[in-house]
Amino acid sequence: MRGSTVRLVVAAAGAAAVVAGAMVRSAAQNPAPAPTFNRHVAPIVFANCVPCHRPGGVAPFSLLSYDEAQPHAEAIEVMVRERAMPPWYADPAFGEFKNARALTQAQIDTIVAWADAGAPEGDGRPPDPPRFEQTGWRMSRAPDLVLDLPFGEFQLPPQGEVPTFTVWMKLPLRDDRWVQAIEMRPSVRGAVHHSSISLAPDLPLGTRLGRAPVFTGGPVLDGVPVYDDGRPFRTATAEAFGMPIMFYVPGGGFMQFADGLAKRFGRDDWVTWGLHLISPGRPDTVRVQIGLWYARREPHHEVKTWTVNQTVLVDGKAIVPDANGRRAMPDIPAGASSWAVTGTLKVEEDITIHAMWPHMHYRGKDMRFVVTQPNGRQETILNVPHYNPHWQIMYELARPLGVRRGSTITAYGHYDNSAANPHNPDPGVPVRFGPQGTDEMFIPFLEVTVDDEDLRFERQQELLGIGRP
Ligand code: HEC
């Protein structure tokens, strides 16, 4: 429902643009020959679209050949003109990103002119499309370890959403592992609305791993922590337990770090796996797998996921955590079009930021990350002016950014709970902060390394039998 509204709006804007384009062209004296697929469009599409638009890719159709692309020419034109495809939401004025996917204006103009001219194939042959390994994973080699849901498959209802739930599993590791790439992959595209994994040092206090309803009234499955009296443990948010590792939405679910950087998966760690599943509109079962690729060489730094919400201000007022660390965030009023939430993080050690990753739900409107140095100098390191809840993108800096101790990182977010927000499922209700898809979240994620925590130095100390100072 929501998706189709968006599409209608975009299509209408595109149709108007097509008419305007046609008028401009008929006025031109010597129109340049129209671009063709084989010569002009294929190189752009092969470089920018087919990593997702290919058989087995995350996108719903393939663009690997003229015959596959031509029927979508009009939609392609609209999506590239609106800069809705390839999905990328960073303001180009701030920061350079190594995973940037945006097309240049010249590339957009080429595709638009091609579609307006009736999407001609052209003479000759297109360049060879890139080859993709048929492992089904995005890395060219198969994962070193695959994690499955503790209960294997989940039976989806014939329609509707499954309430968010979290399951736990012990990592099947004999030693700690350095993980350089992670991918989460559901067997049914569209059945996983979102999912998150974190690593926790232990099960919740007083519980053991058991079988219980995964949510109140839900199916009885493995992977639920239960108390001695059989009561299942219920989490408010998966993020509250341990270190967040990955947040998946369709089209995302993949992260890979540069050589020398990796995440630590401890042999004693537990995976807490949060899932929000939705029916694909028919009864079906879904499997979800996580592929882990180990670093080939010992890394020099551990990548940690931090969040910029040590202190949180809502509409200018500080929200102080209670004894359990929970913050009573006020609801976003119905209709509020620019509800401000600001988070800050005081940096106590010299760190290096590798990536940023704004996380909000359907009312998310924008988010900006700013570093304030001890001398007061401020720099915007990421600005996402039009947040899209369907694309949880990790923005990876082209050059990792050193931040000195004493600096402050601030994340400025806004929420639009009005009818003007095309993603808003219900502008008529106030929205609380919480774990469900219909609740809101404010999580400005950072992927950082702590400069002093040099693993090479620590290994050397260990070899020499010297403990950490
Ligand atoms: C990162 C993966 C990814 C890349 C890169 C990508 N797409 Fe997509 N595309 C998707 C997914 C997933 C969808 C399904 C709709 C959605 O989730 O937004 C989609 C949908 C579309 C649609 C259908 C829109 C609609 O709803 O009618 C078009 C057209 C499209 N993409 C064109 C392109 C073109 C052209 C490029 C390259 C310039 C491109 N895409 C690059 C993932 C991608």
Side-chain angles (χ1 to χ4, degrees):
M1 191 54 194
R2 193 182 337 101
S4 56
T5 325
V6 176
R7 213 164 320 208
L8 275 180
V9 173
V10 173
V18 172
V19 174
M23 274 158 31
V24 170
R25 247 193 331 282
S26 60
Q29 293 301 314
N30 286 312
T36 67
F37 183 82
N38 287 352
R39 180 115 186 258
H40 308 93
V41 172
I44 303 173
V45 168
F46 290 173
N48 297 281
C49 316
V50 302
C52 301
H53 288 272
R54 62 180 161 98
V58 297
F61 51 88
S62 169
L63 293 174
L64 276 173
S65 68
Y66 176 73
D67 289 343
E68 288 172 308
Q70 186 274 333
H72 298 285
E74 225 171 289
I76 291 172
E77 167 176 4
V78 174
M79 297 310 270
V80 301
R81 193 203 284 276
E82 299 286 316
R83 294 186 182 271
M85 281 287 153
W88 185 257
Y89 299 95
D91 177 349
F94 303 102
E96 250 183 77
F97 300 95
K98 68 171 180 224
N99 59 334
R101 285 193 284 236
L103 298 181
T104 63
Q105 191 58 50
Q107 290 173 319
I108 294 173
D109 293 345
T110 301
I111 291 181
V112 169
W114 169 71
D116 283 356
E121 180 173 12
D123 300 330
R125 279 164 33 83
D128 286 335
R131 289 181 172 282
F132 295 94
E133 291 280 329
Q134 291 304 317
T135 62
W137 299 92
R138 285 193 231 184
M139 294 284 282
S140 55
R141 60 185 165 101
D144 295 303
L145 179 66
V146 175
L147 302 175
D148 267 289
L149 287 169
F151 43 79
E153 292 183 336
F154 187 89
Q155 182 69 49
L156 294 160
Q159 58 191 30
E161 304 192 9
V162 179
T164 307
F165 63 90
T166 302
V167 288
W168 296 60
M169 56 195 281
K170 186 82 180 34
L171 275 176
L173 295 179
R174 249 176 297 157
D175 298 298
D176 291 358
R177 286 293 187 173
W178 290 108
V179 171
Q180 198 177 347
I182 308 171
E183 181 174 354
M184 191 186 296
R185 198 176 65 160
S187 61
V188 180
R189 181 186 310 151
V192 178
H193 179 277
H194 69 256
S195 172
S196 63
I197 49 169
S198 305
L199 291 181
D202 210 340
L203 283 171
L205 198 66
T207 66
R208 61 187 162 71
L209 200 62
R211 261 173 88 77
V214 285
F215 50 87
T216 308
V220 175
L221 297 172
D222 287 325
V224 182
V226 289
Y227 293 99
D228 281 345
D229 61 8
R231 249 181 329 124
F233 169 82
R234 294 275 179 251
T235 83
T237 69
E239 284 83 352
F241 292 87
M243 163 95 95
I245 296 289
M246 167 177 272
F247 193 94
Y248 166 97
V249 290
F254 178 66
M255 64 206 291
Q256 183 183 8
F257 297 103
D259 286 345
L261 304 176
K263 292 217 177 239
R264 189 198 300 261
F265 278 56
R267 57 168 209 183
D268 296 325
D269 283 348
W270 291 80
V271 177
T272 67
W273 195 338
L275 288 146
H276 183 194
L277 304 175
I278 44 179
S279 170
R282 54 174 193 275
D284 205 342
T285 56
V286 63
R287 279 181 76 187
V288 189
Q289 294 187 308
I290 298 170
L292 300 177
W293 288 263
Y294 300 150
R296 284 284 162 94
R297 250 165 290 137
E298 291 277 317
H300 52 75
H301 279 88
E302 174 182 358
V303 183
K304 300 181 173 182
T305 305
W306 288 5
T307 59
V308 187
N309 52 14
Q310 198 176 37
T311 61
V312 174
L313 296 168
V314 176
D315 231 29
K317 285 184 287 291
I319 308 299
V320 182
D322 66 14
N324 299 319
R326 295 241 168 84
R327 291 191 178 93
M329 299 277 283
D331 294 353
I332 305 172
S337 64
S338 202
W339 183 253
V341 178
T342 304
T344 65
L345 174 70
K346 183 99 189 153
V347 178
E348 314 277 2
E349 304 151 288
D350 292 350
I351 62 166
T352 301
I353 300 179
H354 300 274
M356 284 85 66
W357 169 29
H359 175 56
M360 307 153 106
H361 290 171
Y362 299 127
R363 277 74 174 190
K365 182 180 185 183
D366 57 55
M367 200 185 283
R368 189 157 63 96
F369 288 66
V370 175
V371 173
T372 307
Q373 290 174 10
N375 67 9
R377 229 195 114 220
Q378 291 202 326
E379 186 190 352
T380 294
I381 55 172
L382 170 69
N383 185 33
V384 175
H386 304 288
Y387 179 78
N388 183 334
H390 301 290
W391 287 97
Q392 304 282 329
I393 296 174
M394 188 165 103
Y395 296 91
E396 300 169 39
L397 287 166
R399 281 177 301 281
L401 178 78
V403 176
R404 299 284 72 83
R405 82 191 63 180
S407 303
T408 302
I409 303 171
T410 312
Y412 298 93
H414 291 93
Y415 295 83
D416 184 351
N417 193 18
S418 76
N421 172 359
H423 305 295
N424 194 343
D426 189 354
V429 298
V431 179
R432 62 173 196 141
F433 282 78
Q436 300 295 336
T438 49
D439 300 336
E440 259 314 328
M441 280 198 175
F442 174 74
I443 314 186
F445 284 110
L446 294 176
E447 299 291 334
V448 305
T449 50
V450 177
D451 295 0
D452 272 352
E453 293 177 1
D454 192 319
L455 299 165
R456 289 164 298 194
F457 180 70
E458 285 176 19
R459 275 192 292 273
Q460 210 171 33
Q461 300 281 91
E462 234 166 71
L463 285 176
L464 295 170
I466 312 169
R468 243 175 105 75

